[in-house]
Amino acid sequence: MSSIQQRAELQRRIWQIANDVRGAVDGWDFKQYVLGSLFYRFISENFAAYIEGDDDSINYAELPDSVITPDIKDDAIKTKGYFIYPSQLFAKVAAKANTNESLNTDLAAIFAAIEASANGYPSEQDIKGLFADFDTTSNRLGNTVKDKNTRLAAVLKGVAELDFGDLHGGDFDASHIDLFGDAYEFLISNYAANAGKSGGEFFTPQHVSKLIAQLAMHGQTSVNKIYDPACGSGSLLLQAKKHFDAHIIEDGFYGQEINHTTYNLARMNMFLHNINYDKFNIQLGNTLIDPHFSDEKPFDAIVSNPPYSVKWIGSDDPTLINDERFAPAGVLAPKSKADFAFVLHALSYLSAKGRAAIVCFPGIFYRGGAEQKIRQYLVDNNYVETVISLAPNLFFGTTIAVNILVLSKHKADTRTQFIDASGLFKKETNNNVLLDTHIEQIMAVFDSKANIEHFAQSVPFEQVAANDYNLSVSSYVEAKDTREAVDIAQLNAELKTTVARIDKLRKEIDAIVAEIEGAEVNG
């Protein structure tokens, strides 16, 4: 079986399992158990492979817990960030799941022990609460302990049966890791697609993530670190990892997320893509009023798909106008629309050599008031490199055609580039998608800054300023007229012929009517 076939079969099976075992439980509510079980299996096998090294004579799962010395445990936690005893491994628990009458409490104890193993170590905050949403006592699993255990056992057995290849003897190589990571992303993507409006809040489709990551890292052979101020499940950050060799992102992946469940998904996602605890830092909290990483900035690459037009405290907090992120613009984003607050936050965290690529609601580019003043600040200071309009229905939870705003502090001139990519998409059943060829087209013109009729224009500063700092792509890139060209001379000739035919028909009809009326009089 080829790797593509293996991946497709794995995805088919994992979604089948996710649906089969949840029973009457809503898929959205049940996702934590499937995702959590996959994560539990991954860290178990990853940890066992680390302990075994390349020594085929060692099978960690078969060792008694008693052989683990304090030194072994200490070294392992310092390296991996956590510790799992042989008896706590996923495979050992899954093998006895169907007959274990205390499965739910055993799982809760194991998860608590894995998290507690990091206490007092540098990885403590990265591990703490990872399993918080895997509630083994929840009534979602069933009303009785037996019902709960039956469903938990079904999830564990289903995940245990997934074929990630032979992982014994330390053979936990990149292809296995990729399969785990892809399976996790596939599940998150499917849950997002089926979650309605909320789906877009925690997952950016991979094809769009790929474009955003390439924009943010374009032309940089290495970046110090990459940051997403509204990271959701971490999909945008991980696209940067997929697009470039890991070593090019020198100091790791940073993100902040306001939703606790999604925050846990993001941290799991990092581990599942083999990003060690010391190479990522995901924090929980409200980025706009409780920002993390001010001591870590600036960042060479920033990617973000923040929530569109959400309410925030804004001017109700008088201290925010003095915040170093918002003060330079001289005005706060409207309380009912926080979009530009996220933009200014990202700009504040951006390095002199870096780029930020941010998904934006199109209204912020043409509305007046505070948003116009913020646009003026951005344009006057030459921070806006490019605005790209995308096709509609590319994202989960919304059909609108969004824009990508690319910010830079090292522009070569004062022109602003506008790209109309609204015609670049492939229509699929539920959503439109960007193909790699579409991304290549966008990146080529982003790089060249060439003017291409109906597609891209680089506009002088004076023209943008004279247009009230309107940054809508449609104001500068003329849409292609797809209407059929009309030959006026030919149309007039055809009209003339048609009118003559009508006149002739009218005369013929009048003659017939007159003949009928004459016959009636004579009769």
Side-chain angles (χ1 to χ4, degrees):
M1 187 183 291
S2 71
S3 60
I4 294 174
Q5 288 173 318
Q6 184 183 10
R7 194 170 262 103
E9 174 61 17
L10 186 63
Q11 292 178 350
R12 185 193 68 78
R13 281 286 299 133
I14 199 168
W15 191 241
Q16 181 184 358
I17 291 163
N19 285 316
D20 286 350
V21 298
R22 69 181 173 88
V25 186
D26 182 78
W28 180 248
D29 291 333
F30 197 66
K31 71 181 184 300
Q32 314 306 336
Y33 300 101
V34 181
L35 292 167
S37 296
L38 187 67
F39 174 69
Y40 176 31
R41 177 178 167 181
F42 174 83
I43 62 169
S44 291
E45 293 177 358
N46 192 324
F47 188 83
Y50 161 73
I51 295 289
E52 292 165 6
D54 294 320
D55 190 342
D56 292 343
S57 68
I58 301 175
N59 186 338
Y60 186 62
E62 298 304 318
L63 297 178
D65 289 358
S66 57
V67 304
I68 305 300
T69 65
D71 286 344
I72 291 173
K73 186 174 180 180
D74 182 63
D75 287 345
I77 298 170
K78 286 176 180 175
T79 303
K80 301 301 290 182
Y82 58 91
F83 192 88
I84 304 177
Y85 282 98
S87 65
Q88 298 171 334
L89 292 170
F90 172 89
K92 296 291 285 277
V93 176
K96 299 177 181 177
N98 286 338
T99 57
N100 185 354
E101 294 181 358
S102 58
L103 178 62
N104 67 329
T105 53
D106 285 353
L107 277 175
I110 289 170
F111 295 158
I114 294 171
E115 291 184 15
S117 71
N119 290 349
Y121 287 85
S123 59
E124 180 175 349
Q125 291 307 310
D126 298 307
I127 305 296
K128 188 175 183 179
L130 268 176
F131 290 100
D133 296 299
F134 199 118
D135 184 359
T136 62
T137 64
S138 172
N139 286 333
R140 289 173 181 169
L141 293 169
N143 293 322
T144 67
V145 171
K146 184 177 180 181
D147 289 343
K148 291 178 176 65
N149 286 341
T150 298
R151 184 151 283 138
L152 285 169
V155 178
L156 294 177
K157 297 296 276 187
V159 171
E161 290 167 5
L162 292 172
D163 180 15
F164 292 102
D166 179 17
L167 298 176
H168 294 299
D171 186 22
F172 201 82
D173 60 18
S175 64
H176 297 126
I177 291 165
D178 284 347
L179 283 172
F180 267 104
D182 284 352
Y184 192 81
E185 290 256 336
F186 169 79
L187 274 172
I188 293 180
S189 174
N190 272 28
Y191 282 126
N194 287 276
K197 186 178 180 182
S198 61
E201 295 176 5
F202 73 94
F203 186 76
T204 302
Q206 285 192 5
H207 52 97
V208 187
S209 298
K210 185 183 292 189
L211 171 61
I212 295 166
Q214 289 189 32
L215 288 166
M217 300 181 75
H218 180 69
Q220 303 194 71
T221 54
S222 67
V223 298
N224 61 352
K225 47 205 164 189
I226 187 165
Y227 169 58
D228 185 343
C231 69
S233 59
S235 56
L236 272 172
L237 290 171
L238 289 165
Q239 270 301 329
K241 180 180 186 294
K242 289 179 181 179
H243 184 61
F244 297 93
D245 293 331
H247 69 269
I248 204 171
I249 302 170
E250 294 162 358
D251 299 321
F253 303 79
Y254 292 74
Q256 184 164 346
E257 171 55 37
I258 194 170
N259 180 283
H260 193 278
T261 296
T262 312
Y263 157 71
N264 284 336
L265 290 179
R267 291 190 295 160
M268 288 184 184
N269 214 356
M270 293 292 139
F271 279 110
L272 272 155
H273 285 82
N274 210 36
I275 299 174
N276 210 37
Y277 76 90
D278 57 347
K279 284 295 184 182
F280 76 82
N281 192 340
I282 308 293
Q283 294 288 333
L284 178 67
N286 185 325
T287 296
L288 298 182
I289 61 174
D290 182 25
H292 290 271
F293 310 124
S294 58
D295 293 337
E296 296 283 351
K297 67 181 188 180
F299 294 86
D300 289 344
I302 296 176
V303 292
S304 194
N305 179 15
Y308 309 141
S309 301
V310 293
K311 294 178 181 177
W312 76 305
I313 192 168
S315 58
D316 284 347
D317 181 351
T319 67
L320 283 174
I321 194 60
N322 297 317
D323 189 299
E324 64 178 358
R325 299 169 296 164
F326 311 127
V331 65
L332 296 172
K335 289 188 293 182
S336 61
K337 302 174 183 69
D339 308 76
F340 266 128
F342 284 104
V343 169
L344 291 173
H345 170 90
L347 180 68
S348 172
Y349 277 49
L350 187 63
S351 75
K353 63 168 274 200
R355 282 190 179 88
I358 308 164
V359 180
C360 296
F361 185 81
I364 71 168
F365 293 112
Y366 58 80
R367 290 190 294 241
E371 291 178 317
Q372 182 187 25
K373 291 176 181 175
I374 294 171
R375 290 197 305 272
Q376 180 173 351
Y377 161 73
L378 294 173
V379 174
D380 283 353
N381 286 277
N382 204 30
Y383 292 138
V384 181
E385 181 173 4
T386 303
V387 182
I388 305 168
S389 64
L390 297 178
N393 206 29
L394 289 173
F395 292 79
F396 298 124
T398 180
T399 59
I400 62 168
V402 300
N403 292 180
I404 298 177
L405 173 65
V406 183
L407 300 175
S408 170
K409 293 180 178 178
H410 62 275
K411 287 173 62 181
D413 57 36
T414 60
R415 301 167 80 84
T416 301
Q417 184 187 40
F418 297 90
I419 300 174
D420 182 359
S422 61
L424 300 181
F425 65 93
K426 180 189 177 190
K427 188 169 182 58
E428 294 199 344
T429 307
N430 296 317
N431 281 79
N432 294 329
V433 298
L434 283 174
L435 301 178
D436 285 348
T437 53
H438 299 145
I439 294 172
E440 288 165 8
Q441 282 179 262
I442 295 169
M443 291 307 302
V445 77
F446 175 75
D447 176 59
S448 69
K449 297 294 186 287
N451 290 332
I452 301 173
E453 192 175 15
H454 308 306
F455 185 53
Q457 291 292 318
S458 288
V459 179
F461 161 79
E462 294 78 11
Q463 186 178 342
V464 177
N467 196 21
D468 295 326
Y469 296 93
N470 185 319
L471 292 177
S472 293
V473 173
S474 59
S475 297
Y476 304 98
V477 181
E478 185 180 356
K480 191 171 185 177
D481 190 345
T482 57
R483 294 174 300 178
E484 187 178 348
V486 177
D487 186 328
I488 299 298
Q490 183 182 347
L491 183 64
N492 284 334
E494 290 173 355
L495 283 172
K496 196 171 181 180
T497 302
T498 303
V499 169
R501 286 184 63 199
I502 292 172
D503 286 344
K504 183 181 177 185
L505 286 170
R506 279 178 178 160
K507 287 176 183 177
E508 290 174 355
I509 292 168
D510 288 345
I512 292 168
V513 169
E515 186 178 329
I516 292 169
E517 288 175 344
E520 288 176 348
V521 171
N522 293 331

